[in-house]
Amino acid sequence: MAVILGIESSCDETSAAICIDGEIKSNIIASQAVHAKYGGVVPELASRAHQQHIIPTVDQAIQQAKIRKNDIDAVAFTRGPGLLGSLLVGTSFAKSFALARQLPLIDVNHMQAHILAHFIDEPRPAFPFLCLTVSGGHTQIVLVKDYFDMELLGQTLDDAAGEAFDKTAKILNLPYPGGPLIDKYAKEGNPDSFKLPEPQIPDLNFSFSGLKTAILYMVQAEEKKNPRFLQENIADVCASVQSRIVSILLNKLKKAALQTGVRQIAIAGGVSANSGLRESLQEMGLRSGWEVFIPKFEYCTDNAAMIAIAGYHKFLKKEFVGQDITPLARMHV
Ligand code: KG4
Ligand code: ZN
């Protein structure tokens, strides 16, 4: 039997999970409300909140999984990419826990873990598959050849898809993080109300900064005509924005599927919680004859279950690291 404690602290969620023989038994997430009033994550506040949350979060994960500390066989933690101060809290905790209990330590790449979240529950994709990983910090199309053999086919040249949602939300006077709110308002709006440009970026890369500027100019022009423009049109604006971000993402994903001939298509990361993206991918999958994999909501945004499952697959291969391991702000898939 293999009992893995997974720890995630790369950004603003402190999370701990227990995985027993590849099955997730608990996945506790402590979010940090402190950032909302600043309109974005404040790194120093994030690391302090991680310090406050890490011990109760791990305790709760152990309790909910109905195990004892002594039952744990290995500790897996997010090494990067992420905010260095935040990563340091999870890494230091994992190292101390492993040292005190003489347990093997497993480092996990956060971007790989978002993709490996697809191996938590059925149905699981078979290798190779394509994954569109869309989060607050990344937008990538990855060819997944094996658990830890991944090739980056394309990525954003500027803002990530989550940033495009969050920065647009700011323009629309919505609180941080705006992605889920745009999703909510979009449900009541007409996506064809406002025409927004699709950037012409070569290969399988993305760009969202031009779209953000186009939205800002559109809102400014409309507000000149009607100062109550946003209040009166928020649903239509959100629906139009969401529909454009989704079409940018899916058009590139379609191009990647054609280029590689791979027909198993997955999405991962915080933005894969977006209902417009989930629905449009399902439709595109049906039209294109793809097998589509969409994670459960709880495994889209940052969580330790994905770290624990990635850790479990490294545990099977006995891929351990020493106490000299340090976190990395930047890491490739
Ligand atoms: O993966 P994640 O939790 O953290 C990072 O590693 O960045 O992703 C967070 C991002 C934020 O930008 C948030 O606005 C976005 O995911 N997000 C959404 C939705 N839920 C979360 N964006 C659009 N629609 C949603 N429903
Ligand atoms: Zn993430």
Side-chain angles (χ1 to χ4, degrees):
M1 199 164 84
V3 181
I4 315 288
L5 165 65
I7 291 172
E8 155 65 28
S9 73
S10 66
C11 190
D12 61 341
E13 330 272 2
T14 319
S15 182
I18 297 289
C19 171
I20 303 184
D21 289 338
E23 216 180 294
I24 297 298
K25 298 293 183 186
S26 62
N27 180 36
I28 307 296
I29 302 171
S31 299
Q32 304 181 355
V34 62
H35 307 290
K37 63 172 181 271
Y38 299 99
V41 177
V42 183
E44 179 57 31
L45 296 180
S47 26
R48 285 190 218 173
H50 281 303
Q51 284 179 329
Q52 286 166 1
H53 293 162
I54 188 94
I55 291 174
T57 304
V58 170
D59 256 345
Q60 222 178 316
I62 290 171
Q63 275 177 36
Q64 208 180 82
K66 299 194 168 55
I67 59 160
R68 290 161 307 145
K69 273 202 268 298
N70 293 346
D71 299 325
I72 295 171
D73 296 309
V75 187
F77 67 97
T78 304
R79 185 182 185 197
L83 300 170
L84 203 56
S86 292
L87 291 165
L88 262 170
V89 178
T91 305
S92 311
F93 181 89
K95 283 164 72 169
S96 331
F97 194 97
L99 182 67
R101 314 194 77 80
Q102 293 295 301
L103 298 175
L105 195 56
I106 302 167
D107 67 321
V108 174
N109 175 317
H110 181 87
M111 299 313 293
Q112 290 189 346
H114 268 302
I115 296 173
L116 296 175
H118 285 284
F119 294 89
I120 293 176
D121 288 322
E122 302 282 348
R124 300 184 171 110
F127 302 113
F129 65 93
L130 283 174
C131 189
L132 170 73
T133 314
V134 271
S135 71
H138 294 84
T139 299
Q140 304 182 331
I141 295 180
V142 179
L143 176 62
V144 188
K145 299 173 193 169
D146 205 339
Y147 290 109
F148 302 102
D149 183 7
M150 305 188 185
E151 184 185 340
L152 183 63
L153 301 182
Q155 62 185 325
T156 184
L157 304 176
D158 41 57
D159 291 347
E163 263 180 302
F165 272 106
D166 297 340
K167 288 181 177 174
T168 301
K170 219 171 192 173
I171 297 172
L172 307 180
N173 296 329
L174 300 174
Y176 178 87
L181 285 171
I182 293 189
D183 190 352
K184 187 180 137 210
Y185 286 117
K187 290 193 176 114
E188 283 126 44
N190 173 5
D192 299 320
S193 309
F194 300 97
K195 290 270 164 291
L196 295 165
E198 171 148 12
Q200 300 303 311
I201 306 298
D203 307 320
L204 295 173
N205 293 326
F206 300 89
S207 166
F208 289 101
S209 64
L211 175 65
K212 183 184 62 195
T213 311
I215 295 164
L216 177 67
Y217 288 167
M218 186 271 281
V219 170
Q220 285 174 344
E222 294 289 343
E223 279 188 324
K224 268 197 189 131
K225 291 185 258 168
N226 171 14
R228 290 187 48 80
F229 169 73
L230 277 181
Q231 287 99 311
E232 288 167 10
N233 296 278
I234 192 73
D236 286 344
V237 174
C238 287
S240 304
V241 166
Q242 178 168 299
S243 149
R244 178 48 84 211
I245 294 176
V246 167
S247 77
I248 293 171
L249 293 171
L250 290 186
N251 286 343
K252 289 288 174 153
L253 196 51
K254 193 170 177 180
K255 195 171 170 185
L258 286 172
Q259 274 182 19
T260 56
V262 173
R263 305 177 81 80
Q264 290 204 93
I265 314 285
I267 51 172
V271 179
S272 61
N274 182 265
S275 54
L277 178 61
R278 294 166 86 94
E279 279 163 28
S280 301
L281 177 63
Q282 288 286 11
E283 282 165 22
M284 190 177 260
L286 282 176
R287 276 199 312 273
S288 315
W290 297 343
E291 201 180 342
V292 163
F293 298 88
I294 299 177
K296 270 192 194 160
F297 281 111
E298 61 186 305
Y299 302 138
C300 289
T301 45
D302 289 347
N303 66 87
M306 68 186 194
I307 305 302
I309 199 82
Y312 171 69
H313 286 283
K314 280 197 166 181
F315 182 86
L316 295 179
K317 299 198 301 171
K318 295 200 166 41
E319 276 189 33
F320 305 134
V321 291
Q323 283 286 333
D324 55 346
I325 191 92
T326 50
L328 293 174
R330 290 173 176 274
M331 274 178 98
H332 298 292
V333 281

